[in-house]
Amino acid sequence: MRIALAPLSFAVALALSAPAHAGEDAAAADFKSLHQRMLDMSNELTAQRAEIERLRDEVDRLELAQHGRGLSAPQADAPDGAQQGVPRDARELAEDARRKAGDNNAAVADGSANAPIQVGQAQREEDAQRREQEKALVVREHAPLFERKFTLDAGFSYSYYDRRQLALSGFLALDAIFLGSINLDQTKASVGTFELSGRYGLSDRLSLEASLPYVYRDSRFVSGGAGGASSVVSEVRMRSQGVGDASVAAYYQWVKESQRWPDIVTSLRVRAPTGRDPFGLKLIQPDGDNNNLNIPEDLPTGSGVWAATFNVSALRTYDPVILFGNIGYTYNQPADFDDISPVAEQVSPARVALGNTVQLSGGLAIALNDRSAVSFSVATAATGATHITAPGAAKRRVAGSSSNSTTLNIGASYVLPSGWTFNGQIAAGLTPDAPNFVFSLRGSRSF
C-alpha cells in the first residue's frame, strides 16, 4: 500500500511546485525588462544632459562674442521674453535646450528645423546693431553726431617743441680751418591749450559748432657765447597766456553709409584773429653779456589773420574695423599790418600773406565694446611759404617759412554710464616741423 501511494505523492508534489517555478520565471522576466528600461532611460537622460551642456556652451560663446564686439543690453521695449544682457539668438538656443530636455522627439525635430532660420535672422539684426554702435562710438571721436541736441565739449592739449639751430659766421682757411664764430641756439617750448566748444544739430544732416581756446605758452631760450666764451651758455625763460583764435564751423552729411558708399561729411570752419598776432613783436637782449641771445618781447597766441578751412571726411565700416580719412584745405586771408619789423625802434608796415595749408589724414578704429574704442592714424599738413609786400615794393617770399608737419596718432575713447565721452590721444612728430609730441584729452556731453 505504501509502495502504491509513493508515485501518487510524488505527482502531487510536482504539481504543487510547478506554479511556484512558473511565478519565479515571470518575476525574473519582469525584472530584466524593468532593468533594461531603466538603462534605456539612463542613457537617454545622459544624452539629453550632454545636448543641454553643448547648447549651454554655445549660448555662452555667442553671448561673450557679441558682448565683446559692443552689443549693448536690450532696452525696455525689447520683445516679450527678452532677458537683460542676453542676445536674442542666445535666448532661442536656451529655449531649444529646454524643449529638448522636456521632449526629445517632435519638439526637438521642430526646434532643429526652425532654429537655423531664426538664429540667422537674429544674427543679422545683431550684427547691424553692433555695427551702428561701433560706428557711432568712432564718429564721436572723428566727426560730430548729427542729432538735435546741444553738445558741450571741453578739451586740453599739451604740445612740446625742442628746436636746435647752428649758426656759423666766418670763412674757411685753406679749405680746412674755419675762422669765425660758431653759435648754437636751442628753443624748448611748451604750449598748453584749453578749448571750450558747443555744438548743436539742426537736423540729422546739419550741425553747427563754435569754439574758443585759451593758450598758455612757456618757452626757454638757450644760447652759447655768453661773455665771448663759447663754453658759457645763457638761458632765459618766458611765459605768456591769452585767448587764442576763436572759430565757428558747420558740418553737413552728404551721404550716409550704405553697401556701396561710405559716410561722407563736409565741413567749413572760419577762424577769427582774436588771439595776439606774432607780427611787430620786438626782439630784446635779456642777457647783456651775450649778444647772441635775442628773444621776442612777448609770445603770440594767434595767427593774426582770418582763415577758412574746408574738409571732406569719409568713414567706412569693414567689420570689425572702421576706416576713416580726411582731406582739407586752409586758406589764410592776406592782411595789412602797421608794423611787422622785429627790430626795436623800427616800423615797417606791410601786407602779409601766410602760406595756405593742405591736410591729409587717415586711419582705422576698432570698437572694443559698446563703451570703448581705440584708433590709429597718420596726419600730415603741408604749408606754403609766407609772402610779404611792403608799400611800393614787390611781393617777397620769406625764406624758410614753408613747412611739412606729419604726426602718428594713437587714441582711445570711453563712454561713461553718466553720458560723458572721454577721448585721449598721443601724437608723435615724424618730421622736423612737427612738435616732438602732443597729448590731448577731451570730454563731451550731450544735453
Side-chain angles (χ1 to χ4, degrees):
M1 185 66 179
R2 292 180 180 175
I3 297 175
L5 290 176
L8 181 61
S9 300
F10 178 75
V12 171
L14 183 61
L16 292 175
S17 61
H21 287 291
E24 291 178 359
D25 294 339
D30 292 341
F31 176 77
K32 290 182 179 180
S33 176
L34 181 60
H35 181 67
Q36 185 63 37
R37 289 180 59 188
M38 291 179 62
L39 290 177
D40 294 341
M41 292 177 64
S42 178
N43 294 335
E44 183 179 354
L45 181 60
T46 301
Q48 291 178 355
R49 287 178 177 175
E51 183 68 13
I52 291 174
E53 290 298 326
R54 186 187 68 79
L55 292 174
R56 183 177 298 168
D57 293 340
E58 184 72 12
V59 169
D60 293 339
R61 186 186 65 79
L62 290 174
E63 184 176 356
L64 289 175
Q66 297 205 23
H67 276 292
R69 291 176 179 267
L71 183 63
S72 61
Q75 305 298 326
D77 56 350
D80 295 339
Q83 299 176 5
Q84 185 74 13
V86 181
R88 179 178 166 188
D89 54 352
R91 294 195 307 270
E92 292 179 352
L93 287 174
E95 292 173 359
D96 188 25
R98 287 194 294 269
R99 286 197 303 268
K100 286 191 175 185
D103 187 358
N104 199 33
N105 296 317
V108 174
D110 293 340
S112 61
N114 297 330
I117 299 178
Q118 296 173 0
V119 171
Q121 293 174 352
Q123 185 66 39
R124 287 192 295 269
E125 294 176 2
E126 299 294 353
D127 288 344
Q129 181 183 3
R130 174 173 52 79
R131 284 193 297 268
E132 287 299 322
Q133 291 172 344
E134 291 177 351
K135 186 170 69 173
L137 187 63
V138 175
V139 167
R140 285 190 184 100
E141 184 176 0
H142 300 280
L145 289 177
F146 297 95
E147 53 186 1
R148 296 182 180 180
K149 292 182 179 180
F150 176 77
T151 301
L152 178 65
D153 192 305
F156 174 79
S157 66
Y158 173 78
S159 305
Y160 178 76
Y161 299 80
D162 188 351
R163 299 291 181 267
R164 291 175 173 85
Q165 182 178 3
L166 179 64
L168 304 177
S169 178
F171 62 93
L172 285 176
L174 303 177
D175 293 333
I177 302 174
F178 179 77
L179 299 178
S181 61
I182 301 177
N183 183 35
L184 177 63
D185 294 334
Q186 182 180 11
T187 302
K188 299 180 180 181
S190 298
V191 181
T193 304
F194 175 79
E195 187 173 21
L196 192 64
S197 303
R199 182 172 60 249
Y200 184 77
L202 299 180
S203 68
D204 62 344
R205 290 182 179 270
L206 179 62
S207 180
L208 300 180
E209 181 183 83
S211 301
L212 180 64
Y214 189 85
V215 181
Y216 175 83
R217 302 189 62 173
D218 185 343
S219 299
R220 287 185 295 165
F221 302 91
V222 182
S223 181
S230 59
S231 60
V232 181
V233 177
S234 58
E235 178 178 348
V236 176
R237 185 174 186 178
M238 177 173 290
R239 298 175 179 175
S240 179
Q241 57 185 331
V243 176
D245 289 345
S247 64
V248 293
Y251 299 84
Y252 188 79
Q253 186 178 32
W254 292 93
V255 179
K256 294 189 177 182
E257 184 177 10
S258 62
Q259 293 183 353
R260 297 184 57 186
W261 295 95
D263 272 344
I264 299 179
V265 178
T266 58
S267 65
L268 178 63
R269 180 177 295 273
V270 177
R271 189 180 68 239
T274 55
R276 185 168 50 252
D277 64 78
F279 307 106
L281 297 178
K282 304 302 181 180
L283 296 178
I284 60 176
Q285 186 177 331
D287 188 350
D289 295 332
N290 188 358
N291 57 8
N292 294 323
L293 180 60
N294 296 285
I295 65 174
E297 60 184 357
D298 203 354
L299 298 176
T301 61
S303 64
V305 299
W306 285 86
T309 302
F310 179 77
N311 280 290
V312 178
S313 302
L315 187 146
R316 181 70 169 176
T317 303
Y318 290 100
D319 194 26
V321 242
I322 297 176
L323 304 181
F324 56 88
N326 177 80
I327 181 171
Y329 183 80
T330 298
Y331 170 76
N332 294 297
Q333 176 69 30
D336 295 321
F337 293 91
D338 297 332
D339 183 18
I340 65 169
S341 174
V343 180
E345 299 180 357
Q346 179 179 337
V347 178
S348 300
R351 183 175 180 83
V352 178
L354 296 180
N356 299 327
T357 304
V358 177
Q359 302 111 353
L360 289 173
S361 64
L364 60 88
I366 302 174
L368 304 179
N369 50 49
D370 60 338
R371 292 190 179 276
S372 59
V374 293
S375 62
F376 308 89
S377 63
V378 175
T380 183
T383 303
T386 298
H387 293 79
I388 58 175
T389 306
K395 180 186 293 186
R396 180 169 60 89
R397 182 181 185 273
V398 178
S401 57
S402 59
S403 64
N404 188 326
S405 176
T406 303
T407 58
L408 173 65
N409 312 297
I410 301 175
S413 60
Y414 186 78
V415 181
L416 295 177
S418 60
W420 279 94
T421 300
F422 287 95
N423 301 307
Q425 182 172 276
I426 182 74
L430 303 180
T431 58
D433 296 322
N436 292 44
F437 70 88
V438 179
F439 173 76
S440 61
L441 180 64
R442 189 174 74 250
S444 60
R445 176 85 157 78
S446 296
F447 300 92

